[in-house]
Amino acid sequence: MSAPVPDQPALPDLPEGVIALVPMRNVVLFPHVLVPITVGRAKSVAAVLHAHQTGAGLGIVLQRDAAVDDPGRDALHDVGTIAKVLQHVDADEQLHHAVCQGVERFRIEGFVEGYPFLAARVQPIPEPAVVSTQAEALGLQLRERAVEILSLLPGAPAELAHTLQSVRSPSHLADIVASLLDVELVEKQMLLETVSPEERLRKVLQMLTHRIEVLRLSQEIGERTKEQIDLHQRKYLLREQLKAIQKELGESGDDDEDIARLEELIAKAGMPDEVQAQARKELGRLQRMPDASGEYSMLRTYLEWMTELPWAAPPARPIDLGEARRILEADHYGLDRIKQRIVEFLAVQKLNPQGHAPILCFVGPPGVGKTSLGQSIARALGRPFVRMSLGGVHDEAEIRGHRRTYIGAMPGMIVQSLRKAGARHCVMMLDEVDKLSPSAQGDPSAALLEVLDPEQNATFRDNYLGVPFDLSRVVFIATANVIDQVPAPMRDRMEVIDLPGYTQEEKLQIAQRYLVQRQREANGLRGDQCDLTPAALQAIVADYTREAGVRQLEREIGRVMRHAAVQIADGSTPQVRVDAADLDALLGATKFEHETVLRSSVPGVATGLAWTPAGGDILFIEATRVAGSGRLILTGQLGDVMKESAQAALTLVKSCATMLHLPADAFDDIDVHVHVPAGAIPKDGPSAGVAMFIALASLFANRLVRHDVAMTGEISLRGLVLPVGGVKEKVLAARRAGVHTVLLPQRNEKDLRDVPEASRQDLTFVWLNNVDDAIRAALGDTAIRGAGFELV
């Protein structure tokens, strides 16, 4: 963009024969023609201002290359037009507009330096004084052709024809018509450089004649196209009349084959009477509707959806409970209570096929087998299985469908899944129901309430179909990672079955029975090409994975199999055997280690047990004291509940100072700092009270907490130990971490039946009624004075 031209003093007149030049990129000015120009380059602006101020002529000349910003002599054509600046306007600081009228042609003889604009010595090219008879004849023919082309242009103003009629000089007429021609700039420049009037008239006439032929041809093409459109409309009307005649005669044409096919499909679909009546009504509308109508394709798609849904009642099929048990045992290891509940579910289905099936909801961390359990139920029932993923669904229309009035409308996910399954009694898995999220488009979990209610789903109505569909024969199975995130009304309609996770022994059995073989096949290995020893599997389970499910375990086994595949593909060895000692080279250093002893080597450290969405885990509580003013400092991303537990634990320790052999001034002039490591992870929950109390008691009593002890439970200010949840996950986490003794609230003893027998035998359980029991188990009897601490 050119810089603005600063204010200048009035310039002296140019010498005789020297004019200011304005190079133009896309304008060819002819004599006797009025044209507006826009300039932005500093030299061009200066030239226009000089011509406007002094009244001198301004040279308008075309550039040879429009891309050149600062053209020199070689970049300009030799012939241009001297113009008068009739009007000048400052549009802004960069652009200036001027109205110029061409006077006469000139030829550049040379540039003159020393001016803020391009200045050149020019030689005017005068018009011939005498007009030849040939020129007059050509001018007359040119005027007729110009009037003719104006009649072919519907937007041409009437004043333009009057102007052409008033021009008498053939040379002037040629210049005016040349300026109006829609031709390339090079051709216009060629006309400008043509000095001879006869030759210029002849060239302009030739160009104008060619343009007239093009316009006539375009007009003929437009008329033929209009005739074709009229012919198409006439044929359409005749077809419609033919349909009406055939209908009156009771005859059917070839165009009715689609209608007949849809009518046959409606008859075979097994629809209820109400639905069939609606479908035939829409079919009648389709039959009366023209094919070209925009609603025709929409209505046809709707009828195709209606005919493809499984309306008919499912065939009766006996349920073999023995075969169902065999399938469950073959597909899953462990999960005895879950399998028993599924067998009960199948038994009820066998005895009461028409009864309402309960909605089962499997809740557990990722990788524990929720989806595969649903597939096993479908196999045991002998029904099709279809999975509907609800993660991230935030639009109610995704469940209920869109109304047909909207563009791109389609049925909801329920109806789509039914068409995919092809059976009204399929097993449909609603995966990740805890990931539904409401939005401005509605709450999809609310739309699922009708689907999951056995009293309502017999008349489920999809917005797209507009008719009720019976979902009572569908076996719905839901899955979720965290049941707390499922809305309470939806939870009320489902039977929740917890899948907390697997023990190390169960993971080892799952790996040996399923995962190793699956990864062998996935990596193209035969059974004898890669042998993963039980010791290696045990090491992978203990040292490389720490999860409730088995997904990461399968990934690690896959890494081992890929290593074996490389060696076998290279021809290095026909068989690969992997033992525990080889894992460090294949999988790297161990990812998890038991650090309970190291962490518990100083007073003030206790090991707690926590529940996480991925299963249980151990939690270290660290406490220390420093000089201060009696404050309690809490760090480690603790939630409000854990902060209250820490405050209650400190108050309880102060209340039993005598029992812990603490002097009366033990809490004066100190600050107590309680920290839970892994501070980047938020932690909250009502189960850390006992661990915090023991950590503080260990700190002030200056006694170590037993390193092989882990604990869970909430405390009250009276010293009572209150029950908590997630006992199975916490016990399994304690066993994985190498803990030998677990302290649990006495009121959680009933939950121990959920813990596998092998884990119960490996651990020692101490049941806590009050903090007295916790101190004895964690710090030893000598930490307590007297008969005990009975604050109840």
Side-chain angles (χ1 to χ4, degrees):
M1 184 178 291
S2 304
V5 176
D7 295 336
Q8 301 177 8
L11 296 174
D13 292 337
L14 294 172
E16 182 72 18
V18 178
I19 63 173
L21 293 183
V22 175
M24 301 302 295
R25 302 178 192 267
N26 55 4
V27 173
V28 175
L29 178 62
F30 287 85
H32 319 291
V33 175
L34 197 69
V35 65
I37 64 172
T38 301
V39 294
R41 291 177 284 194
K43 292 183 178 180
S44 299
V45 172
V48 171
L49 290 175
H50 177 272
H52 182 64
Q53 293 174 1
T54 62
L58 181 68
I60 305 297
V61 62
L62 181 67
Q63 292 184 204
R64 297 182 185 274
D65 185 0
V68 178
D69 286 330
D70 189 12
R73 176 67 183 89
D74 296 335
L76 301 178
H77 285 279
D78 295 330
V79 176
T81 301
I82 299 175
K84 283 256 184 225
V85 179
L86 302 181
Q87 187 178 1
H88 171 260
V89 178
D90 287 336
D92 51 39
E93 293 182 353
Q94 283 80 26
L95 298 179
H96 289 242
H97 303 285
V99 178
C100 300
Q101 184 174 21
V103 178
E104 63 179 343
R105 290 174 173 82
F106 69 87
R107 189 180 305 277
I108 298 175
E109 294 183 347
F111 272 26
V112 178
E113 302 294 334
Y115 295 93
F117 46 78
L118 293 178
R121 187 173 301 280
V122 299
Q123 178 65 42
I125 303 175
E127 293 284 345
V130 179
V131 179
S132 65
T133 306
Q134 180 73 16
E136 287 183 353
L138 290 172
L140 182 62
Q141 190 174 8
L142 179 60
R143 184 178 288 106
E144 293 175 354
R145 291 288 188 178
V147 173
E148 181 181 359
I149 197 172
L150 290 178
S151 65
L152 296 175
L153 296 174
E159 295 83 4
L160 187 56
H162 179 72
T163 302
L164 294 176
Q165 292 287 0
S166 63
V167 177
R168 291 286 153 231
S169 171
S171 178
H172 294 177
L173 181 64
D175 288 338
I176 293 174
V177 174
S179 67
L180 299 175
L181 283 176
D182 184 16
V183 295
E184 296 292 334
L185 289 174
V186 177
E187 294 179 291
K188 287 190 175 184
Q189 180 66 28
M190 178 266 295
L191 293 175
L192 183 67
E193 294 176 358
T194 303
V195 178
S196 170
E198 292 86 0
E199 185 179 357
R200 187 162 70 253
L201 284 164
R202 199 174 288 110
K203 289 180 179 180
V204 172
L205 188 60
Q206 182 180 1
M207 292 181 184
L208 192 60
T209 303
H210 173 74
R211 187 61 181 167
I212 290 174
E213 293 299 323
V214 171
L215 290 174
R216 282 178 176 172
L217 182 59
S218 175
Q219 194 174 47
E220 290 176 4
I221 292 173
E223 291 175 356
R224 286 200 300 268
T225 304
K226 183 180 179 182
E227 290 176 358
Q228 291 176 357
I229 294 175
D230 293 340
L231 179 62
H232 176 74
Q233 292 177 345
R234 182 169 176 269
K235 288 181 178 179
Y236 170 77
L237 292 175
L238 290 174
R239 286 195 192 98
E240 292 299 312
Q241 292 174 1
L242 179 61
K243 287 182 181 179
I245 294 172
Q246 288 175 342
K247 184 176 181 181
E248 291 294 328
L249 296 175
E251 299 176 354
S252 176
D254 295 337
D255 293 339
D256 291 336
E257 291 182 1
D258 242 5
I259 304 296
R261 182 181 63 85
L262 287 173
E263 188 171 9
E264 182 181 358
L265 291 174
I266 291 173
K268 292 180 178 179
M271 301 177 182
D273 295 340
E274 176 189 355
V275 177
Q276 191 176 67
Q278 177 68 20
R280 292 191 180 280
K281 178 181 177 182
E282 297 293 345
L283 183 64
R285 287 185 57 214
L286 183 70
Q287 196 169 8
R288 297 188 299 269
M289 195 176 294
D291 300 351
S293 172
E295 194 179 355
Y296 183 89
S297 59
M298 180 272 292
L299 195 54
R300 179 179 172 181
T301 303
Y302 168 75
L303 289 173
E304 288 176 349
W305 269 100
M306 294 284 284
T307 57
E308 292 172 2
L309 288 176
W311 298 96
R317 184 181 184 277
I319 297 175
D320 188 347
L321 293 182
E323 178 66 12
R325 290 190 182 95
R326 188 196 64 78
I327 291 174
L328 290 172
E329 290 297 333
D331 292 349
H332 303 276
Y333 177 80
L335 306 176
D336 296 332
R337 295 185 63 188
I338 310 300
K339 294 177 183 176
Q340 181 60 33
R341 178 62 187 90
I342 293 174
V343 170
E344 294 171 358
F345 170 79
L346 298 178
V348 174
Q349 287 284 301
K350 180 178 181 178
L351 296 177
N352 186 14
Q354 303 303 322
H356 295 305
I359 313 297
L360 301 180
C361 180
F362 297 133
V363 178
V368 296
K370 300 185 292 295
T371 303
S372 58
L373 276 173
Q375 294 172 341
S376 299
I377 293 175
R379 286 183 56 201
L381 286 170
R383 301 184 183 185
F385 176 82
V386 62
R387 176 175 173 270
M388 192 171 77
S389 179
L390 299 177
V393 174
H394 60 274
D395 189 352
E396 183 180 349
E398 294 289 334
I399 306 298
R400 287 191 175 275
H402 306 78
R403 300 193 182 277
R404 279 184 289 150
T405 53
Y406 297 116
I407 297 176
M410 61 189 306
M413 299 173 71
I414 300 291
V415 173
Q416 293 182 41
S417 300
L418 284 170
R419 186 177 76 163
K420 181 180 178 181
R424 208 180 82 185
H425 66 314
C426 64
V427 177
M428 184 179 296
M429 174 156 282
L430 308 177
D431 215 358
E432 310 288 354
V433 295
D434 56 333
K435 306 300 190 301
L436 292 170
S437 57
S439 68
Q441 286 77 35
D443 188 354
S445 63
L448 278 177
L449 294 181
E450 181 183 356
V451 176
L452 299 179
D453 192 339
E455 301 297 331
Q456 301 181 46
N457 59 15
T459 57
F460 173 73
R461 187 178 291 269
D462 186 274
N463 289 332
Y464 182 82
L465 300 182
V467 293
F469 192 96
D470 186 2
L471 300 178
S472 62
R473 311 310 305 154
V474 178
V475 178
F476 289 103
I477 299 174
T479 70
N481 294 132
V482 184
I483 193 62
D484 294 340
Q485 297 179 6
V486 179
M490 186 185 298
R491 229 180 306 162
D492 182 62
R493 285 164 169 78
M494 301 185 297
E495 179 181 344
V496 177
I497 299 178
D498 290 316
L499 280 77
Y502 300 106
T503 63
Q504 291 191 3
E505 288 77 11
E506 289 174 336
K507 290 182 181 180
L508 181 60
Q509 291 294 329
I510 292 171
Q512 291 175 335
R513 298 187 184 199
Y514 310 106
L515 304 184
V516 172
Q517 180 60 29
R518 189 191 305 174
Q519 285 300 314
R520 277 202 194 102
E521 296 173 356
N523 290 282
L525 299 173
R526 298 192 306 271
D528 59 342
Q529 288 182 321
C530 182
D531 181 20
L532 197 58
T533 65
L537 284 175
Q538 182 66 42
I540 294 175
V541 170
D543 300 332
Y544 290 90
T545 61
R546 184 166 291 178
E547 56 176 343
V550 292
R551 285 184 182 171
Q552 185 61 32
L553 174 60
E554 186 172 2
R555 293 188 191 102
E556 298 297 337
I557 293 174
R559 291 178 61 188
V560 175
M561 293 298 174
R562 289 193 294 273
H563 168 76
V566 171
Q567 290 189 333
I568 293 173
D570 285 343
S572 306
T573 177
Q575 184 180 14
V576 176
R577 186 175 187 274
V578 180
D579 206 348
D582 304 322
L583 296 180
D584 186 74
L586 299 181
L587 304 180
T590 58
K591 298 179 181 179
F592 303 99
E593 60 182 9
H594 305 308
E595 52 184 356
T596 306
V597 176
L598 176 64
R599 294 279 186 126
S600 302
S601 60
V602 295
V605 179
T607 305
L609 297 174
W611 179 92
T612 67
D617 202 356
I618 61 172
L619 191 70
F620 296 103
I621 309 294
E622 299 177 349
T624 187
R625 53 185 173 181
V626 294
S629 58
R631 294 183 303 155
L632 175 62
I633 304 171
L634 301 174
T635 55
Q637 282 276 23
L638 304 183
D640 292 337
V641 178
M642 288 191 71
K643 291 178 180 178
E644 293 174 358
S645 296
Q647 185 64 59
L650 180 59
T651 302
L652 193 57
V653 169
K654 290 180 179 180
S655 68
C656 60
T658 305
M659 179 189 67
L660 295 174
H661 306 265
L662 300 178
D665 58 350
F667 302 96
D668 296 340
D669 301 327
I670 65 166
D671 287 343
V672 178
H673 187 167
V674 177
H675 176 65
V676 183
I681 302 174
K683 312 169 190 70
D684 202 6
S687 63
V690 171
M692 288 186 171
F693 173 79
I694 292 299
L696 292 171
S698 167
L699 173 67
F700 286 102
N702 198 28
R703 290 185 60 86
L704 295 178
V705 179
R706 288 172 53 189
H707 65 269
D708 60 344
V709 170
M711 61 206 73
T712 184
E714 188 56 291
I715 59 173
S716 71
L717 291 180
R718 296 182 296 161
L720 294 177
V721 178
L722 307 178
V724 293
V727 172
K728 179 182 178 181
E729 292 88 341
K730 294 175 180 178
V731 170
L732 296 181
R735 188 172 181 236
R736 285 196 302 266
V739 172
H740 298 148
T741 303
V742 177
L743 310 186
L744 295 173
Q746 179 70 50
R747 291 161 64 181
N748 282 118
E749 186 173 3
K750 63 182 184 299
D751 300 319
L752 201 61
R753 69 184 68 177
D754 297 333
V755 179
E757 181 63 29
S759 298
R760 293 204 300 263
Q761 291 178 356
D762 286 352
L763 297 172
T764 300
F765 296 95
V766 177
W767 304 105
L768 308 178
N769 287 310
N770 51 49
V771 293
D772 184 4
D773 301 329
I775 292 175
R776 286 195 180 94
L779 302 180
D781 292 340
T782 58
I784 305 176
R785 172 182 300 173
F789 181 57
E790 302 291 344
L791 293 179
V792 293

